Amino acid sequence: MRVAFVGDRYSALGFRLAGADAYAPKPHEAQRLLERLHETVEMMLLTPTIAEHARPEWLAAALVQPHPLTLIVPDAGGLQPPPDFAARIRRILGVESICWEPQAVSPMPKP
């Protein structure tokens, strides 16, 4: 399975050590590289910064296609977290999730 990582150079070093093909393109080169890799790999991992430089319509299609699996992962410094897709879907659907946390109950006073 051929895995490609596209992001900052520090993250790329780690992914290269893990056996992935790793690329750290300049922003203006990112889209062309993504399109080339999309045809030749089974999995693409992108940082949020690279995802921002991709054409929105291309990225949206790549994220939903089963092949190659395309994921957005955090960068090395955690400078930009990956998008919260669950929150985006809830917002689009108009669904709010409410987490209920039990409150500590004080004991009944003795008479």
Side-chain angles (χ1 to χ4, degrees):
M1 173 193 250
R2 185 166 174 219
V3 177
F5 170 82
V6 185
D8 64 278
R9 67 184 192 137
Y10 298 110
S11 298
L13 290 172
F15 279 95
R16 186 168 289 141
L17 286 172
D21 296 342
Y23 304 89
K26 294 182 172 139
H28 66 278
E29 300 168 343
Q31 183 63 45
R32 189 175 7 190
L33 175 64
L34 293 174
E35 289 171 359
R36 184 171 54 86
L37 290 173
H38 193 265
E39 302 299 322
T40 61
V41 300
E42 286 77 35
M43 179 185 287
M44 287 189 1
L45 306 172
L46 317 174
T47 60
T49 303
I50 292 297
E52 284 179 1
H53 288 95
R55 285 194 330 269
E57 64 277 359
W58 182 91
L59 182 62
L63 289 171
V64 297
Q65 290 177 353
H67 183 71
L69 178 60
T70 303
L71 303 170
I72 300 174
V73 297
D75 59 10
L79 299 176
Q80 286 190 313
D84 184 354
F85 290 112
R88 183 181 293 171
I89 291 168
R90 284 192 304 271
R91 186 172 56 249
I92 290 170
L93 296 175
V95 177
E96 293 293 325
S97 65
I98 300 172
C99 259
W100 179 76
E101 292 185 21
Q103 303 293 323
V105 178
S106 57
M108 296 282 296
K110 293 184 181 182

